[in-house]
Amino acid sequence: MFHRALQGFIEVVCGSMFSGKTEELVRRCKRAQIGRQKVQVFKPRIDDRYSKDHVQSHDANRIASIPVDSSRQILELVDDNTRVVGIDEAQFFDEGIVEVANKLAYRGMRVIVAGLDMDFRGQPFGPMPKLLAVAEAVTKLSAVCVVCGAPASRTQRTVGNLDPNSTVAVGAKEMYEARCRFCHEPDTHGEN
Ligand code: ADP
Ligand code: MG
Ligand code: ZN
């Protein structure tokens, strides 16, 4: 079988908080725009830390984005002439995001997905394991451990949560910090 649109593929950018996932997503999308490719960036509406209509890194790099309530909405909102689809904070999406990313790639689009590979307990986060499995290319970034300075792969929650069963507590520097495996305390978050 011959496909006319042979260029579709999925790239995943993962790592802990502060590892530069959003920075990298913004960088890749801006380069595509320089190449005059139409880019659309989506993020879950739950993530409104900085802005409703932009994806923004902790270092203030940003690009316009469309907030959506479900993965299905992305399919409805992607334009036919879009060449690159960026998705930030993918860990917050429903499992349907995997099929959505696959569909867009089969349509010939370059799909760039950024998200946390682990939650603050060190467990695989939402649909990320499946996205990593189906992607053509995976980039795992590290932050800097704020305790010892080693490369940080994990996210430490530094304040307690109202709902102890929830892994979803959107926040930035005030609630989380980057730590390496050995400085990460998965069962401690601000209580002691
Ligand atoms: P992510 O999307 O992965 O959470 P961002 O792209 O938003 O990360 O932010 C990355 C930026 O965060 C870095 O360029 C740096 O300026 C800043 N930063 C703050 N704390 C750290 C840390 N502990 N390790 C690395 N970068 C950090
Ligand atoms: Mg980010
Ligand atoms: Zn450390």
Side-chain angles (χ1 to χ4, degrees):
M1 202 159 84
F2 183 79
H3 293 273
R4 203 157 61 85
L6 283 165
Q7 72 272 35
F9 53 91
I10 301 172
E11 300 166 22
V12 173
V13 179
C14 68
S16 68
M17 275 188 74
F18 306 103
S19 64
K21 302 180 297 297
T22 299
E23 235 165 45
E24 181 61 18
L25 176 72
V26 171
R27 189 183 80 93
R28 292 184 192 186
C29 289
K30 285 192 172 168
R31 287 169 61 93
Q33 286 174 333
I34 290 168
R36 295 203 183 77
Q37 300 184 326
K38 174 159 173 156
V39 175
Q40 282 182 289
V41 179
F42 298 91
K43 64 175 180 179
R45 203 179 295 277
I46 184 174
D47 178 36
D48 57 1
R49 277 175 293 183
Y50 301 109
S51 157
K52 282 193 191 358
D53 51 5
H54 282 80
V55 152
Q56 181 167 326
S57 76
H58 296 114
D59 226 10
N61 294 312
R62 56 187 229 153
I63 191 166
S65 70
I66 306 166
V68 290
D69 296 305
S70 71
S71 62
R72 237 193 55 216
Q73 260 195 313
I74 297 177
L75 277 186
E76 291 161 9
L77 294 170
V78 167
D79 296 328
D80 281 339
N81 59 344
T82 289
R83 300 275 304 278
V84 178
V85 175
I87 302 170
D88 201 12
E89 304 289 353
Q91 76 278 354
F92 290 140
F93 277 104
D94 51 287
E95 291 285 328
I97 193 71
V98 183
E99 197 190 332
V100 167
N102 268 326
K103 273 191 176 153
L104 296 174
Y106 279 124
R107 274 199 223 159
M109 292 172 192
R110 175 183 176 195
V111 185
I112 310 173
V113 180
L116 288 164
D117 43 13
M118 286 178 266
D119 63 22
F120 70 89
R121 294 187 175 90
Q123 296 301 310
F125 207 147
M128 290 301 289
K130 284 183 183 160
L131 286 166
L132 287 160
V134 301
E136 270 82 358
V138 170
T139 305
K140 185 150 178 158
L141 301 173
S142 56
V144 179
C145 176
V146 297
V147 178
C148 77
S153 56
R154 280 142 218 261
T155 305
Q156 180 74 45
R157 184 178 280 181
T158 54
V159 295
N161 190 13
L162 296 177
D163 175 4
N165 294 316
S166 171
T167 50
V168 180
V170 182
K173 286 199 170 70
E174 320 81 51
M175 297 177 67
Y176 297 99
E177 59 192 30
R179 295 206 189 170
C180 72
R181 173 187 291 278
F182 299 103
C183 296
H184 183 241
E185 298 170 304
D187 300 321
T188 309
H189 23 91
E191 291 92 347
N192 51 347

